[in-house]
Amino acid sequence: MTTLSEQSVYREQQRNGQSAGEIPSVEYGLIRAHVYASLATVLISASFGILVASKFNFAEFLGGHAWLTWGRLRYNHTQGIFFAWLGNAFLAFFYYAVPRLANRPVLSRKLGWFLFCIWNFAVVLPGWVLVAAGFSQPLEWAEFPLVVDAFVVLAFILMVFEFVLPFLRARASDLYVSSWYIIGGIIFTMLAYPVGNFVPELVPGARGAAFSGLWIHDAVGLYVTPFAVAIAYYVIPATTRRPIYSHFLSMVGFWVLFFTYPLNGTHHYVYSAIPMAAQKGAIVASVYLGMAVILVVTNQLLSLRGNSGTASKDVPLRFVWFWCPCPILW
């Protein structure tokens, strides 16, 4: 299946002497590994969540051991969904989409397997074990201990080389919007993650809470949202065989997201000890973000107009169709 992104690099292929429609090398082994890891860990993460939910009604359920207390199980549930399920799923998508979007293979297969090991055996599994053993941070969406956080930052640095560098090497005159969201999500998360995980440990009081609040939102807005939007913008034209409604609107949504979302987290601390200027900035940024959400969702839904028959038969497209309004709830 030829996607819109592949068509957009046709002229670049011609200049490079590559035949149109030829797909660069895709690391299907890494795709399968991350997909299997995602499927296995989502079951584990969901099990943590079921146990947490059960304790709301049966407070003494599995309460005889510290490893099975509500707080530790909840930490492992949220971080498991964040890193184990979504992280592996996003990485699988990158290995599939980046070669097609950049018209270049990812940097290195060996680096890919090293990244797979770092993500699953230096972040996810040790994070779960350490949290269950009582080693964690009392920070929302930053519960894994600092030693695990160091490997998370390392993993994102490796992602820059593995996935961002092919786009820089492509030297295409323009990039499809999914490429922008992949690049932005990786780079901004690499920069924002230390702010929300390391800085609160060094800065006490309200200032530390403000930095933590930034990451509470950045975890969703600079990690989950851009990668999910990249998938949506990739799946829609690939399945409908029609271009998105407006590339201009898609890029406006991209820049508004990445220029306003990093300020949003402080709106959790309105009328607190944090300086009022920071609170007002967060409120203004939240208003702009609401506009961006409406813009992006409208663009995606208009891109799907007239495709109800396709959506009824195509499961990925149907999933994306129902997902489009979700950012409004975020």
Side-chain angles (χ1 to χ4, degrees):
M1 178 182 295
T2 301
T3 68
L4 177 65
S5 57
E6 292 161 9
Q7 298 169 6
S8 69
V9 298
Y10 175 80
R11 290 190 297 273
E12 188 69 19
Q13 290 173 333
Q14 296 291 70
R15 285 195 292 269
N16 294 337
Q18 182 178 358
S19 60
E22 182 180 346
I23 299 176
S25 175
V26 178
E27 300 296 341
Y28 287 104
L30 283 164
I31 294 174
R32 284 191 290 269
H34 281 290
V35 167
Y36 293 149
S38 178
L39 290 174
T41 54
V42 73
L43 295 177
I44 298 173
S45 302
S47 298
F48 285 134
I50 292 172
L51 293 176
V52 169
S54 299
K55 285 176 174 290
F56 278 118
N57 295 305
F58 308 100
E60 301 300 322
F61 177 62
L62 297 178
H65 196 285
W67 284 51
L68 299 175
T69 55
W70 187 92
R72 298 185 190 184
L73 289 173
R74 180 185 179 276
Y75 281 5
N76 276 341
H77 167 64
T78 57
Q79 294 295 82
I81 293 296
F82 188 81
F83 287 110
W85 174 46
L86 288 176
N88 278 294
F90 288 148
L91 285 164
F93 170 71
F94 296 161
Y95 282 111
Y96 180 84
V98 167
R100 292 170 166 83
L101 293 167
N103 197 34
R104 293 287 190 283
V106 296
L107 182 64
S108 168
R109 178 183 302 171
K110 291 183 179 179
L111 178 60
W113 284 111
F114 181 63
L115 177 59
F116 175 84
C117 293
I118 289 289
W119 195 261
N120 289 284
F121 302 114
V123 174
V124 176
L125 294 181
W128 276 342
V129 172
L130 288 172
V131 166
F135 299 96
S136 60
Q137 294 189 103
L139 301 172
E140 187 73 15
W141 287 112
E143 291 92 349
F144 278 175
L146 289 175
V147 63
V148 175
D149 293 335
F151 284 103
V152 175
V153 175
L154 173 61
F156 274 97
I157 293 173
L158 297 179
M159 287 184 208
V160 172
F161 288 95
E162 185 77 329
F163 304 117
V164 176
L165 196 58
F167 290 113
L168 301 180
R169 286 181 170 180
R171 297 181 180 178
S173 58
D174 54 0
L175 292 175
Y176 182 59
V177 60
S178 291
S179 308
W180 283 97
Y181 276 103
I182 292 172
I183 295 171
I186 291 174
I187 292 178
F188 274 75
T189 303
M190 179 188 67
L191 298 174
Y193 191 86
V195 172
N197 287 264
F198 296 115
V199 175
E201 295 284 353
L202 303 173
V203 179
R207 289 184 299 163
F211 283 106
S212 176
L214 292 177
W215 173 244
I216 291 173
H217 259 279
D218 290 349
V220 176
L222 300 182
Y223 173 77
V224 178
T225 297
F227 297 151
V229 172
I231 294 173
Y233 273 125
Y234 191 95
V235 169
I236 290 172
T239 54
T240 62
R241 297 182 181 273
R242 293 170 50 186
I244 59 174
Y245 177 74
S246 171
H247 183 72
F248 173 76
L249 293 180
S250 71
M251 293 309 303
V252 172
F254 169 84
W255 288 112
V256 174
L257 172 70
F258 281 98
F259 273 108
T260 61
Y261 213 111
L263 301 175
N264 267 356
T266 312
H267 71 206
H268 287 278
Y269 303 102
V270 175
Y271 296 119
S272 69
I274 295 172
M276 184 55 68
Q279 300 178 39
K280 291 179 179 178
I283 294 171
V284 173
S286 301
V287 173
Y288 276 102
L289 179 64
M291 296 164 57
V293 167
I294 295 172
L295 190 70
V296 171
V297 171
T298 300
N299 193 33
Q300 291 183 349
L301 292 177
L302 287 175
S303 300
L304 286 165
R305 69 195 189 285
N307 286 283
S308 57
T310 305
S312 65
K313 301 175 183 178
D314 192 283
V315 175
L317 182 61
R318 192 186 318 154
F319 185 86
V320 169
W321 196 330
F322 280 94
W323 174 87
C324 284
C326 289
I328 294 177
L329 302 178
W330 297 345

